[in-house]
């Protein structure tokens, strides 16, 4: 069984995340993609939205897809979410599964700075999801990474979680940038500055 791990803060999860996962699933014939919200990512500040809320939004987003599921592993574990710790534990828990890690093109360029990346690269491959116009050149990576990073192309969708948070802070619509059920969750919960009862 081949499983792609889609990690991230998902603050909030949006259609770009889902398209990236679908592109990786399709390009490399993965059996499943597991979305795994981080608790506290090592390269970002802690979110004002709780890990449990981000986990619930992610579950809403992937519900109904036959090959997507949500993993609460890092949120439940707490602390800083280092990928190598997670992968070591997943390999112990699921020795029969072949894992790959799905990352965006911008994160591919950042891989050399990941915690214990040389060890991690011996445990699994990476799928870098490349959008048109991305500045992605595998030849710029260290040699030990060049052989373990594969590319999956996806449609150009210029949406990010930070853009969504900025739009909500400015009172602008985010409808259709996130799945309908995630949008309903955001409105219902009153997070990102959108008050319950708001219709956008």
């Amino acid at each position: 069984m081949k499983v792609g791990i889609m990690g991230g803060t998902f603050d909030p999860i949006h259609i770009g995340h889902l398209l990236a996962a679908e592109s990786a699933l399709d390009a490399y014939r993965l059996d499943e993609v597991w979305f795994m919200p981080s608790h506290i990512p090592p390269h970002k500040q802690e979110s004002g939205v709780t890990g449990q809320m981000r986990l619930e939004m992610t579950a809403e987003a992937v519900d109904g897809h036959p090959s997507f599921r949500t993993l609460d592993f890092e949120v439940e574990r707490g602390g800083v979410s280092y990928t190598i710790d997670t992968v070591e534990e997943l390999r112990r828990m699921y020795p029969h599964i072949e894992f790959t890690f799905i990352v965006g093109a911008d994160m591919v360029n950042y891989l050399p700075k990941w915690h214990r990346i040389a060890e991690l690269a011996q445990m699994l491959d990476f799928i870098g999801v490349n959008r048109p116009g991305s500045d992605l050149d595998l030849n710029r990576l260290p040699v030990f990474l060049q052989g373990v990073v594969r590319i999956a192309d996806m449609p150009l969708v210029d949406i990010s979680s930070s853009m969504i948070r900025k739009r909500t802070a400015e009172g602008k619509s985010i409808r259709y940038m996130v799945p309908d059920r995630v949008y309903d969750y955001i409105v219902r919960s009153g997070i990102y500055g959108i008050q319950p009862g708001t219709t956008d």
Side-chain angles (χ1 to χ4, degrees):
M1 183 174 179
K2 296 193 297 184
V3 171
I5 301 170
M6 186 95 175
T9 50
F10 302 125
D11 187 21
I13 191 167
H14 54 73
I15 62 169
H17 293 127
L18 300 176
L19 278 171
E22 186 76 9
S23 299
L25 182 84
D26 186 51
Y28 293 100
R29 301 189 180 280
L30 302 176
D31 295 296
E32 293 183 350
V33 174
W34 295 359
F35 288 74
M36 186 167 52
S38 57
H39 183 250
I40 303 173
H43 59 281
K44 293 183 180 180
Q45 293 182 342
E46 187 172 358
S47 170
V49 176
T50 68
Q52 185 61 37
M53 283 182 156
R54 291 183 287 106
L55 183 67
E56 290 169 359
M57 283 190 286
T58 304
E60 292 283 3
V62 306
D63 185 48
H65 192 297
S67 299
F68 288 176
R69 58 179 284 200
T70 307
L71 201 65
D72 65 359
F73 190 82
E74 290 190 344
V75 170
E76 290 297 317
R77 186 178 64 198
V80 176
S81 301
Y82 289 113
T83 300
I84 189 164
D85 296 334
T86 298
V87 170
E88 285 177 337
E89 186 62 24
L90 288 177
R91 279 161 52 98
R92 283 193 293 268
M93 294 168 63
Y94 306 102
H96 61 289
I97 292 179
E98 176 187 339
F99 288 106
T100 58
F101 208 89
I102 303 169
V103 295
D106 56 338
M107 193 55 68
V108 170
N109 296 324
Y110 194 80
L111 279 176
K113 299 180 181 180
W114 279 29
H115 181 59
R116 294 168 59 193
I117 185 60
E119 296 172 64
L120 184 60
Q122 294 178 344
M123 297 180 186
L124 46 59
D125 288 351
F126 295 85
I127 298 174
V129 183
N130 191 34
R131 297 180 296 178
S134 295
D135 181 26
L136 178 56
D137 182 1
L138 296 184
N139 292 323
R140 292 187 300 197
L141 293 175
V143 174
F144 75 88
L145 279 174
Q146 291 179 19
V148 298
V149 178
R150 297 173 286 168
I151 301 301
D153 291 323
M154 68 171 283
L156 177 60
V157 178
D158 192 17
I159 295 176
S160 67
S161 297
S162 58
M163 174 202 292
I164 290 172
R165 294 193 304 271
K166 183 174 184 292
R167 288 181 67 88
T168 59
E170 295 171 349
K172 295 179 180 178
S173 174
I174 59 167
R175 194 184 292 275
Y176 307 121
M177 296 182 181
V178 298
D180 288 346
R181 288 177 59 168
V182 173
Y183 178 81
D184 291 343
Y185 182 98
I186 290 171
V187 172
R188 187 170 66 249
S189 304
I191 55 178
Y192 304 120
I194 299 180
Q195 296 303 312
T198 301
T199 58
D200 229 25

